[in-house]
Amino acid sequence: MLEFNNVTFKYNGTGHGVYDIGLTVQRGECVLLCGASGCGKTTLIRLINGLAPSFYSGSLKGKISIGGADMTGLQPYETARKVSSVFQDPKAQFFNTDTGSEIVFSLENRGFPVTDINMRLEEAVEKFGLHDLLERSPSKMSGGQAQTVAFAAAYTADTDIVVLDEPTANLDENAITRIRGIITAMKDSGKTIVISEHRLSWLNGIADKVCYMKNGRILETYSGREFFAMSGNECSGLGLRALQPVQRTLSPNIIELGKNNSSTGAFAAEAIVMRRGKRKWDHPVSASFESGNIYCITGENGRGKTTFLRTLAGLEKQAAGSVIYSGKKLGKRARQRIVSMVFQKTDDQLFSDTVLGECLLGNGSATEENALEILGILELAEYRDAHPQSLSGGQRQRLAVGTAILSDKPVLLLDEPTSGLDLGSMTLTAQILRKAADNGKICIVVTHDNELINKLYESEDNNAEDIHR
Amino acid sequence: MKLDVRVKLILIVLSATFASLNTDIIAESLMMTAITLLLSLCTGAVRFRPLLMYAIFVLVQYFVFPVSPRAVVFMLSILVVNVRNFLPTALCIMLLYETTTVSQLMSALTKMHMKKQLTVTLAVVMRYIPCLGEELAAIRDALAVRNITSGMTSAFRRAAARAEAFCVPLIVSSVRTANDLSAAAVTRGIDEPCIPSCRSAGKFGAADFAVLAAAITAVGWAVYMEYFV
Amino acid sequence: MNNTEKMVTKDYIQAAIFSVLSMVGMIVAAILNMSGYTALLYPAGAAFFIGILFFILEVKIQKKGAIFIFSIVPALYFFASGLIEGIVGAVGAMLFSLFAEFILSKHHDSTKHITIAAVVYTMYYSTIGFAEQFLFTEYYCNAAAEHGIDPAVVDGMRTVFGIKPLWAAVIAATALTTLLGTLIGRLMTNKHLKRTGLVK
């Protein structure tokens, strides 16, 4: 179905790319591409769906064929007739402002008859259970819902091949279970699937073939069974996340909102009734935080974890209750003065023109030495003079965390700091957070990354095998 | 109530024409009331705020200004009158924006024989507006918890730093959004040379004709009053 | 490097987004329209923001047609603003974008040409944008009075728009703020955008 014959592609400008790729994918197979960030997984995906070299320009050597036909020189719209794509950010990939139109967008562009299109829309809505979402705009949906719509769109496009570029990066466990079901159904209907992923455990039993990539090359190809039988040590040796679902360690510092929590700490939320826009939560929430500790707020998406964090940061005004620090109730402005926050989307929180400058911006008491130390831990020291926005996504996330840690504000809030990060970046983030807590900060992390939680609370006695149970 | 996109576009032009020609405040108030009613019917929710805002501007112009200090009137007359005059048209634009999807807009423009490059451009304008709102809010939040002007003594430097801190992420993210939207559109075949299918923008319905008739009558009346009376 | 390629979907989308941003700039500058004293400064205020975006967009795309698309949202807004003024406004905005395109043809990568093109583009706001006020002063003032503007303000307008050299001053001020805007655009491009790899 899909064949790479000695393919080398280098991006114009950076010179990075993929080299000597030889890969054959049979019809109906599901292939997983894995490896650390920057290994070339996304580039391979772009070569399959035609975005490289036409959209992301570069030099291409070798031959890529789909169904026996050479893809070289084809226009992206011609490739789109054979390959549909699901990207990482569910909301950014919506071209339309309503679900129904997004699902049939490919068919409209290809000029299919309207009766055909309406029939396929009905089929997709039925199959994916999207009745309630039909008229809704993507900005009013959860990430999981938006990603389901993206899958429905890819399915409806009726292509032979579906490529998925880190489709679960921002999703919680429930959404991942739903996506797993969708992919299984797609496989059953004969589609060929290529997935690039960091989060691997959910693909056990789905991936028929796994290609491990490093530095732009496929180093090793495994069968699905072989790959998922690897031990925890072996897979972390390759720099990969856990292959089996990770059980969360127990800790009193893991908070589930709504469960009875006290509010007597140095920094505390006392019976907060959250409010965001027109939405008001029903039940008050309390929580208590002490200096020198890391707290993880967990739970399904939609429960209000981000809104809770924003309320603590003084970015939302609560409908009732108070936020207290050192015995004093704090208004919004006062909270903003004691809190630094790392948001999920890093683009909007980097302001300087150099990495080092970003670390020092607004962090009055931090010196260049402090900053270089933190950058060293985060493996960003060599990029000190680079522009923050020229870094990769994972590097930008680490930089945002480092910058927040350098501030002398006592409270540090982080919203999903490791979504989409590989094992290496996640480990560095955990290390820097432990250092921040050791220095007396109160660190509060919203996360559904069990591997991060375990890293944050692992004692020196635990070894990696126990964590990847 | 559902109106065809083309009717909403024509309504914007007709309401602007009416606003330009008409000088009778009663007629304008009736027009504003009618458009508010239309907006409520089309969105399925009672929308009284725009009408309230209009009423305030009318009251200020006709009842507050006559008893205000001359300097205040001199300062604010242009603002109050121009905003009041523009409100009906603004409401028609809001009607288009709130009750039209990108797909419906593209269908309508395709039916009007517009070239694909233009339909995509206008579709993206509509698609980007909510993104822009989110971007501005996100940048504002990030700046709120980060004291980027700490250590700066000059007021000019502080203002420049804040302006730079706002503009740079905005422009960077606008370029990234353009890339994301384009990649999404291209991988869904937006560059196909054929004419795209139009699921909406069929024939006009009774509501469309009724609204058009009312709007054309209003404009006709305004033309008559302006040139023949 | 001169790009003789045609615009592709990515370029149309980028120009459309910048067009929306330019509208935001115009709305911010419209604060100046609030009072009779400062309304004459509006073209200069809008031109500053437009200059920044014009420069960055042209450096990013460097193809024929980018500036024409950039003018679309303002043109649509003018079209929606009134009868004859609306049509003249919309056509005028697009016409000036074509003048700018003409200046830029074969020189898409030249800072000098981009700056001159930006000044020509924003000249729309100070020329056509104020043509009715300065050339048809009596007609404009009568219409303003009929629409409800205070008589004393209308008299003030009559006086101000009777001073024709003031129009030259508005045009000059607009050109100046455009130059300033393109300078800021250039600084932003060199300090930030080129180094992010998003602009070449």
Side-chain angles (χ1 to χ4, degrees), chain B residues 25-44:
Chain B
I25 192 69
I26 310 265
E28 192 184 271
S29 307
L30 285 172
M31 178 65 125
M32 185 68 189
T33 311
I35 300 173
T36 308
L37 185 63
L38 189 62
L39 182 66
S40 303
L41 286 170
C42 289
T43 56

Side-chain angles (χ1 to χ4, degrees), chain B residues 132-191:
Chain B
L132 178 59
E134 285 169 14
E135 269 313 308
L136 293 172
I139 296 172
R140 188 201 58 212
D141 285 345
L143 287 174
V145 291
R146 189 114 174 249
N147 189 6
I148 58 157
T149 55
S150 88
M152 293 180 195
T153 44
S154 144
F156 176 75
R157 268 215 74 197
R158 291 161 76 96
R162 282 198 80 86
E164 189 181 354
F166 225 95
C167 291
V168 172
L170 184 63
I171 291 181
V172 167
S173 94
S174 80
V175 174
R176 288 223 167 91
T177 301
N179 282 347
D180 287 343
L181 274 180
S182 313
V186 160
T187 54
R188 287 182 170 88
I190 200 151
D191 292 326

Side-chain angles (χ1 to χ4, degrees), chain C:
Chain C
M1 185 245 312
N2 255 317
N3 205 334
T4 49
E5 289 172 24
K6 286 168 78 163
M7 294 222 319
V8 293
T9 300
K10 188 161 70 160
D11 303 320
Y12 283 101
I13 291 179
Q14 185 70 78
I17 286 178
F18 267 61
S19 191
V20 175
L21 291 176
S22 80
M23 195 69 213
V24 172
M26 284 165 61
I27 291 171
V28 170
I31 294 171
L32 293 163
N33 269 335
M34 273 202 213
S35 103
Y37 297 116
T38 52
L40 276 180
L41 295 172
Y42 169 72
F48 173 68
F49 296 108
I50 292 171
I52 299 173
L53 293 165
F54 186 106
F55 189 92
I56 295 172
L57 180 69
E58 188 54 33
V59 169
K60 171 102 181 74
I61 297 185
Q62 296 193 24
K63 290 178 190 170
K64 188 168 93 170
I67 299 303
F68 181 72
I69 301 292
F70 180 63
S71 74
I72 278 208
V73 177
L76 284 174
Y77 166 72
F78 297 134
F79 187 61
S81 303
L83 179 71
I84 298 185
E85 295 97 332
I87 297 173
V88 169
V91 169
M94 291 194 288
L95 198 62
F96 274 74
S97 77
L98 292 175
F99 293 154
E101 288 280 6
F102 177 72
I103 293 169
L104 286 166
S105 52
K106 297 194 176 47
H107 301 286
H108 290 282
D109 56 345
S110 151
T111 300
K112 188 171 93 179
H113 283 84
I114 296 176
T115 308
I116 296 171
V119 169
V120 165
Y121 178 85
T122 57
M123 227 185 246
Y124 160 78
Y125 294 87
S126 55
T127 54
I128 310 266
F130 269 93
E132 197 188 354
Q133 288 89 320
F134 281 101
L135 293 178
F136 304 100
T137 309
E138 207 45 51
Y139 170 80
Y140 180 80
C141 291
N142 288 339
E146 280 174 4
H147 275 93
I149 293 189
D150 184 81
V153 175
V154 173
D155 280 338
M157 278 186 195
R158 212 170 260 128
T159 313
V160 163
F161 295 128
I163 309 172
K164 304 301 178 205
L166 212 49
W167 196 6
V170 168
I171 296 174
T174 306
L176 258 169
T177 54
T178 309
L179 287 173
L180 193 57
T182 53
L183 180 64
I184 305 255
R186 196 166 144 206
L187 287 172
M188 242 199 242
T189 305
N190 291 338
K191 184 178 176 192
H192 290 282
L193 300 171
K194 278 197 175 141
R195 295 177 56 229
T196 62
L198 295 169
V199 166
K200 292 191 174 62

Side-chain angles (χ1 to χ4, degrees), chain B residues 91-146:
Chain B
L91 208 54
C92 290
I93 296 173
M94 206 154 103
L95 173 67
L96 175 73
Y97 177 72
E98 285 190 23
T99 63
T100 309
T101 64
V102 161
S103 170
Q104 286 168 340
L105 180 67
M106 286 182 76
S107 290
L109 296 174
T110 305
K111 275 264 157 72
M112 287 156 72
H113 306 291
M114 226 182 246
K115 286 184 98 171
K116 194 182 238 181
Q117 291 91 336
L118 268 180
T119 63
V120 167
T121 299
L122 294 173
V124 166
V125 167
M126 183 174 252
R127 171 68 177 81
Y128 182 63
I129 291 173
C131 280
L132 178 59
E134 285 169 14
E135 269 313 308
L136 293 172
I139 296 172
R140 188 201 58 212
D141 285 345
L143 287 174
V145 291
R146 189 114 174 249

Side-chain angles (χ1 to χ4, degrees), chain A residues 316-346:
Chain A
E316 302 288 346
K317 191 162 155 64
Q318 67 275 23
S322 344
V323 175
I324 300 168
Y325 181 69
S326 294
K328 280 211 307 248
K329 289 189 185 171
L330 299 184
K332 278 171 71 176
R333 280 279 165 82
R335 280 175 249 167
Q336 288 169 13
R337 279 197 286 270
I338 60 155
V339 153
S340 51
M341 183 158 172
V342 177
F343 300 85
Q344 243 185 310
K345 207 170 157 233
T346 51

